Amino acid sequence: MAIFSILNKYNNVGLLLMRIGLGVMMIVHGLPKLMGGIDKWEKVGSAMSHVGISFYPAAWGLSAALAESVGGVLIFLGLAFRPACIFLLFTMIIAAAMHLASGDGLLGASHPIELGFVFLGLLFVGPGKYSVDKK
């Protein structure tokens, strides 16, 4: 339809809106984990056991909390965008594996799976022209 073809010239605005929304939501998910301290990091990091990694759960949990909170800031700004997407994609893969291994089923794992596909797609697309990476 002709009316929707007008939106083609606003692709970068669409990417900006996605970055803002995803960035804020990742910060909201990551900050409580980051601020939770070592007990929270160990709990979050224990999800790595579902992929056969059971050493240093606190370090893995801190890594996940940093990926979500700092990665959210980077996605928001469009700074170091692709590395942030890679770290967030990995975090979502582990979160999905944890949900599936815990018996939550596909429905329970759907949120990290969906976000994983979003970060994978954004890895290819890039941050758009309204980003720090493009300045």
Side-chain angles (χ1 to χ4, degrees):
M1 294 177 70
I3 193 163
F4 292 122
S5 65
I6 294 169
L7 294 176
N8 287 336
K9 62 183 174 180
Y10 297 105
N11 290 342
N12 287 296
V13 173
L15 283 169
L16 175 64
L17 293 172
M18 282 183 62
R19 283 196 354 257
I20 291 170
L22 283 169
V24 167
M25 293 313 298
M26 292 314 300
I27 294 166
V28 167
H29 280 279
L31 273 181
K33 293 173 186 154
L34 188 61
M35 303 308 287
I38 196 159
D39 291 335
K40 184 70 168 181
W41 302 340
E42 284 181 351
K43 182 179 178 191
V44 171
S46 69
M48 291 295 286
S49 66
H50 297 293
V51 293
I53 299 174
S54 57
F55 56 89
Y56 302 120
W60 291 109
L62 175 60
S63 296
L66 287 169
E68 289 182 2
S69 55
V70 176
V73 171
L74 295 174
I75 293 291
F76 181 93
L77 295 172
L79 175 64
F81 183 79
R82 286 187 166 106
C85 284
I86 291 169
F87 284 112
L88 286 163
L89 172 60
F90 179 76
T91 303
M92 293 305 109
I93 290 169
I94 299 304
M98 186 265 314
H99 282 289
L100 292 170
S102 297
D104 296 337
L106 194 56
L107 190 58
S110 64
H111 183 68
I113 291 170
E114 292 159 355
L115 280 176
F117 277 109
V118 169
F119 292 124
L120 179 61
L122 288 174
L123 182 62
F124 286 94
V125 174
K129 82 176 186 180
Y130 304 121
S131 66
V132 175
D133 281 351
K134 294 295 179 186
K135 293 296 175 199

